[in-house]
Structure formats: C-alpha cells, structure tokens
Amino acid sequence: MTNTKSSQMWAITLFALGVFMAALDNGIISAALTTINSSFGVEANWGAWGVTLYTLGLAISVPIVGKLSDRYGRKKLFIVEIALFGIGSLLVALSPNFAFYLISRFIQAMGGGGIFIIGTSYVVSTLPPEKQGKALGMLGGMNGIAAVLGPNIGSVILDLTGSWHWLFLINVPIAIFLVIMGFAKLEETKDPASGKLDMTGTVLLSLAILGIMYGLTNIEGVNFFHSILETDVYPYLLAGIALLAILYFYETRLEHHGGDPILPVALMRQPTYLLTLLLGLFSGAMLAAMIFIPAFSEQVLGIESEHAGYWMTPLALAAGIGAAVGGALVDKRGPILAIIFSGVVAAIGFMLFPGWIEAKWQFVIASVIAGVGMGVLLGAPLNILATEKLLENKGTALASLSLVRTIGMTIAPTIYAGFIARGFSEIPSLFKTDFQSVLQNNVQDADLSGDAIAELAQIGGQFASGSEFSQQQMIDAVQNIQDPTLKEVIMKSVNEVTSIAAQNGYGGLFYSAVVIAICIFIVGIILKPVRKKSLQS
C-alpha cells in the first residue's frame, strides 16, 4: 500500500513538472518574439508562425497522444513526449535558419501537446474518485500558472542571459531529468487494446484540425465576419469541417465493425459528454482573456510597458489557488457545483474590470477574483465529467476535451482583439468630443505660470480645433511647447483621451468574458439533471 502511494505521489509530481515545462513554453516565447524575429531577419507576420505552428502542433498531437497512451501505456508515452519536447527545444535553440526553427517548434509541440493529457488520464485511471479532484486541480493549476507566468519568466531569462536561445536550452536538462525519473518511478498503466491503430482516422483528424486551426489563425478581429470570407480563411475552415464530417461517418462505421476509432464517437452521442465539450470550448475562450491583462494594465492603468507583464502575477497565483479549490470542491461536492461556482466568480471578476477599476489596488482585487473563477475550471471538474463511467479510452476522451479548449483559445483572442482595435479607432472622434474638457480640467488642477498661461492662450486656437488633429499630430504639436509644465499638462490630456478609447475597447473584451462565464454557469445548471439521468442509467 505504501509503495503504491509513493508511486502515485512520484507520478503526480513528475506529471506536474512536465505540464509546467510544456505550458510555460508558449508563454515564455512571447517575451522574445521580437528578438527572435530580428535574429533571423524576418518580419513580425512571419515571426508569428513560431507561435502558430506550435499551436497547430499541440492541436494535432493531443487527440493522437490521448489514444496512443490508452493503447500502449501512459508511462511509455510520457517518456516519448518528454524526450520529443526536449529534442525539439534543443533543435530550436540550435536553429541555423528560420525554416529549421519553425520545423523544430512543430517537433517541440508534438512532444508538449500530450503531457497534460497523459497526466490527467493517469490520475482518473489510477486514483480513487475521492482523491482525483485534488490531483487534477494540481495539474490544472500548474498548467494555468505556467501559461500566465511564461512572459514574465521569459523576460527575466532574456535580461539575465541576453540570448533567446536560453529560453529553450533550459528545457533540455529538465526533460533529461523527467525521462530518467519516468523510467525509474512511473508504473505502466493502459487500457486493453481492441484492434489495430486507426491510421486512416488519425490522418483524417490531423488534416481536419490543421485546416480548421489554420483558417482560425487567419481571421482578423477588426473585420471578423468579413475576414471569414477571405481566401486564406473560409476554404480551410470548410475543408476542415468536411473532413470532420467524413471522419465521423468513417469512425462510426469502424466502431460498428468492432474497430478502435481514434475519435470517441460513442461518447459524442452522450449528452453529458457533449455538454462537457461545450464547457471546454467556453473555458478556452475565457482563459484567452488573460492574454490581454498586461496590455490592459499598460494602456488603461498607465503602467510602464516593461513592467506590465508582472501585473499578471495576482491573476496567475489566484488561478493556481482556484485550481486547488476546484479540486477540493469536486472531491467533496462533485464537479457540477464547481462549474457553477466557477461561472459565478469569473463573471463577477471580469465585470469589475470595465465597471469598477480606477486604481491599481482595485485591479489586483479584480484579477484575484477572476483568477480564482477561471482556476476552478482549469483542472478537475471537466476532466472528471469527461471520463465519468469510462472503463477505457479515458485519454481519448480527455484529448477531445483539450482540443475543443484549444479551439476556444484560438477563436476568442481574435474576437477580443477586434473589440480593442475598434476602441482605439474611436480616438479621432474622442479628440473632437472630449479633449477640450479633459484639457480644461487638467489646466485648472495644474499650477501654471503666467508664461505658461500666455503660451496656452497663443496655441489655444490650435487645440480648440482639436477635431482637426490626429493623436500623433497632437503629440507632435506638443513638442514645440516651451513651458515644461504646460507640455506635461497637454500630454497628460492626450494620454487620458487615449485611455478613454482603451477603456472602451477593453470594456467590450471583458463584457464578452462575462457573457462566456454566464454561459458556463447556465450550461452547469443544465448539466446537473442531464448528468444525474446518465448516472442512473
């Protein structure tokens, strides 16, 4: 009994470390994208492919690894995934050119994509139900915290070493340690295989995901619906959806003939699992709102750009705490209550951002509330629901859940960015309507000298017709002002008008996150009787 408990503790620790390493990577690179692009001499739009290919690799590898871990063993696949991730990291760091770098990022993603799935599959397959929530909460917390802290850690490593290569080289010794300890400490677990591997289904699923994810990454947030009609979007989306339809019919036929389909088609006929997948999509969309927290702190609260990333810390820590709370709540009261609790708390937290925050301390409180709400959903509740009553194919069920969450995290930032862009597009009209009143208030509050007042009177005609000025023209005009106090007052007024536009843009973003959180709450309510009926059948 002691040996079993020790083995489980080692397994969860190794899985948690692996999850942290893999989840950290996509965030950590964001701090160095400009540096990496410069080192290879590529434009920003090409450089973004380093992130896009990683996301595509994750989306493709997750369902495949989930099935393989069920069939061939979670220990074997964990070691293979870690080794692949470590090799990919080394190749990225040693990349002699941009093409080699992109291929290496894809290899890295193929290794990192399945670590969380294997870990969660191990937990729900080996631990007793009353202990699964805390373990899954731990894995989810590591996943969420790593994704949020990634940019900060990337900035620190970049500052200390001066080289982006260390962002990836640091993964290599960790991967070697995990491979060695995986061989030594993990016990093999797997589901009984029921036939040969579904290679046709694997290829169809990979191509379908590739088409959908590629199409989604090309959608523009400002002209969302118009961009869907672009030739680099809708053909790929349609092709991906068509392949998914073909895959579903093929997998249904394969299952009918006693095969082992890569897609959990039997589960997809169950209302409980379908609602869980919907919650996964919503959870991914809600998690994506975190990406914009540093920009919000910079553009609305006026925090320096080099420090903006650090203001993710309250939300990151709260998400980790929330994941632990969610795990404990699942163990004691079940997954449905945790989902409902998550929706309510996250909705309150996100509502505070546009409706309450005026100072930094308010920002911290709102971040903590939103972080706890999101964190509750990170680990245990949805994973428990996805694998409930399953004797096999738990990895496959979890992989499909992870895939729809990834799709949610891909679609939502495009929509959120559209709100922000539309907010900033209001700047010219805001200069027409708001600049004069903002300037007058700031002038009254400032202790201007007689010379400054005289200079303001001289240029007052220019600024009185602020409607004719763009933001940049206004800033350029300010540079010619002689009095430093007056210059500061006018620049403050320009920044305040810009901040109003930012608040409008981010308001749309956070209100969208509130709607998503409410949807999570509603689906949780609907799921309660559906799950009860399923458990009784």
Side-chain angles (χ1 to χ4, degrees), residues 182-261:
F183 272 116
K185 297 294 185 180
L186 290 180
E187 292 183 2
E188 189 61 279
T189 63
K190 60 182 177 180
D191 295 339
S194 56
K196 64 180 181 179
L197 183 64
D198 176 19
M199 287 304 299
T200 302
T202 301
V203 172
L204 284 172
L205 180 61
S206 300
L207 292 174
I209 294 169
L210 189 63
I212 290 171
M213 295 297 288
Y214 180 77
L216 291 177
T217 56
N218 288 328
I219 293 175
E220 294 179 10
V222 180
N223 302 305
F224 183 83
F225 294 105
H226 177 74
S227 68
I228 291 176
L229 300 178
E230 296 293 329
T231 54
D232 61 349
V233 176
Y234 81 88
Y236 294 96
L237 293 178
L238 290 176
I241 293 168
L243 284 170
L244 279 180
I246 294 168
L247 175 65
Y248 180 81
F249 288 113
Y250 172 79
E251 299 286 80
T252 303
R253 186 169 175 272
L254 181 64
E255 182 188 55
H256 182 71
H257 288 86
D260 185 21

Side-chain angles (χ1 to χ4, degrees), residues 503-524:
Q503 284 177 316
N504 293 341
Y506 284 101
L509 183 161
F510 290 119
Y511 283 129
S512 297
V514 170
V515 171
I516 292 167
I518 292 171
C519 289
I520 289 171
F521 169 80
I522 293 171
V523 175

